[in-house]
């Protein structure tokens, strides 16, 4: 037992074990959300969805996972072999690396970086490169169309996402997500979406701009993860399956897992920056490290549910409407909010 404890206490082994915690969370979360998405869609459309595999179909996500893992890994003959094989890992690595700076609790964050927000924006951009690699390497017309659409969409909506993050960091005065969360501690009235812990006069002046910024961040985050009404890179009615048309088996599962992991990631970022992160909405009541994990995950899951709800409610936008929304609606409004908030904070 002592030798086992000594082995687990080694810095490298401990780092690997702690680094694997988000991976375990992502796998469990993906199974839960896959089931939740099908059930929410069924209720919206007045049907039953999964009912036969386990009680109310609760085992169906496990069956889907096993089915994907057992499928043959097919690589097209005319595809770029290396890029085709590497692309799913690049996409998942970009998403998984961003989890390193998510503050799940006051005592657990993978890497407590002073430039955590900057790191988050930087590594998440790998997803765009991976999707473009997948589309081009497939040597398939539908895949390359999906890859180019995805690159245009994600680059366009990264700008309003980054500008929304700038607003939160301006108010909190830090790029460290733990510091931003601590700035909002003390109850729902201290959340940045309501002005944070600033003096009352500043909070009242800043409140309209933080609410607008938060709504824009939510819209941009839906587009970032290619969810309806912004699911043009995977538009089944137009592009078969988009950039992952030629993928099967484990590699397709990697794209699937990365999509759901990204869904939680953007929700967690919005929660950390604007909705108090792991802090309790009731101040000191139901607060603490363990409760912090509960509040963080529950807040993020509310946004995951909202994105699922939107998917099965709204129709898909056209490409020109999608780009117009980013460049001529969201971005100008955010510049106005940044200027107004900066003036209020200085003056």
């Amino acid at each position: 037992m002592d030798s086992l404890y000594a082995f687990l206490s080694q810095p490298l082994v401990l780092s690997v074990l702690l680094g694997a915690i988000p991976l375990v969370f992502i796998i469990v979360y993906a199974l839960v959300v896959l089931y939740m998405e099908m059930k929410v869609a069924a209720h919206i459309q007045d049907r039953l969805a999964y009912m036969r595999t386990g009680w109310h179909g609760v085992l169906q996500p496990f069956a889907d996972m096993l089915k994907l893992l057992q499928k043959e890994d097919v690589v097209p003959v005319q595809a770029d072999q290396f890029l085709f094989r590497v692309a799913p890992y690049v996409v998942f690595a970009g998403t998984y690396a961003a989890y390193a700076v998510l503050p799940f609790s006051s005592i657990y964050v993978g890497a407590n970086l002073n430039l955590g927000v900057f790191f988050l924006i930087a590594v998440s951009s790998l997803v765009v490169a991976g999707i473009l690699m997948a589309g081009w390497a497939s040597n398939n017309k539908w895949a390359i169309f999906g890859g180019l659409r995805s690159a245009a969409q994600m680059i366009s909506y990264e700008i309003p996402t980054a500008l929304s993050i700038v607003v939160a960091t301006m108010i909190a005065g830090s790029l460290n997500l733990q510091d931003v969360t601590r700035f909002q501690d003390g109850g729902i009235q201290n959340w940045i979406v309501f002005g944070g812990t600033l003096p009352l006069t500043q909070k009242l002046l800043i409140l309209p701009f933080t609410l607008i910024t938060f709504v824009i961040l939510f819209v941009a985050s839906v587009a970032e993860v290619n969810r309806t009404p912004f699911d043009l890179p995977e538009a089944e009615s137009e592009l078969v399956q988009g950039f992952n048309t030629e993928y099967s088996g484990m590699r397709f599962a990697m794209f699937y897992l990365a999509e759901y992991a990204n869904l939680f990631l953007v929700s967690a970022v919005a929660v950390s920056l604007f909705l108090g992160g792991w802090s309790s909405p009731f101040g000191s009541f139901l607060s603490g490290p363990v409760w912090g994990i509960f509040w963080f995950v529950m807040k993020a899951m509310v946004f995951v549910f909202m994105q699922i709800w939107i998917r099965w409610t709204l129709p898909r936008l056209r490409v020109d409407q999608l780009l117009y929304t980013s460049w001529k609606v969201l971005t100008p409004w955010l510049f106005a909010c940044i200027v107004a908030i900066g003036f209020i904070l200085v003056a």
Side-chain angles (χ1 to χ4, degrees), residues 303-320:
F303 282 94
V304 171
F305 170 77
M306 289 177 65
Q307 293 188 54
I308 293 172
W309 188 0
I310 289 171
R311 175 182 179 181
W312 300 101
T313 305
L314 299 179
R316 183 183 302 128
L317 295 176
R318 296 196 314 263
V319 176
D320 61 315

Side-chain angles (χ1 to χ4, degrees), residues 265-296:
L265 176 65
V266 296
S267 302
V269 170
V271 166
S272 299
L273 293 174
F274 286 93
L275 299 180
W278 41 257
S279 63
S280 170
F282 310 113
S284 58
F285 180 65
L286 298 181
S287 63
V290 177
W291 278 108
I293 296 174
F294 170 79
W295 289 120
F296 185 81

Side-chain angles (χ1 to χ4, degrees), residues 105-152:
S105 172
S106 58
I107 60 170
Y108 179 74
V109 58
N112 193 20
L113 302 179
N114 290 330
L115 296 175
V117 172
F118 182 79
F119 174 85
L120 181 73
I121 296 172
V123 299
S124 60
S125 62
L126 280 175
V127 176
V128 184
I131 289 176
L132 198 56
M133 284 167 56
W136 184 85
S138 297
N139 195 24
N140 178 296
K141 293 182 177 64
W142 308 122
I144 189 63
F145 285 155
L148 291 174
R149 279 188 180 185
S150 181

Side-chain angles (χ1 to χ4, degrees), residues 101-103 113 116-117 120 175-181 272-273:
V101 293
L102 288 185
L113 302 179
V117 172
L120 181 73
L175 292 173
N176 187 317
L177 285 172
Q178 281 285 42
D179 293 342
V180 175
T181 303
S272 299
L273 293 174

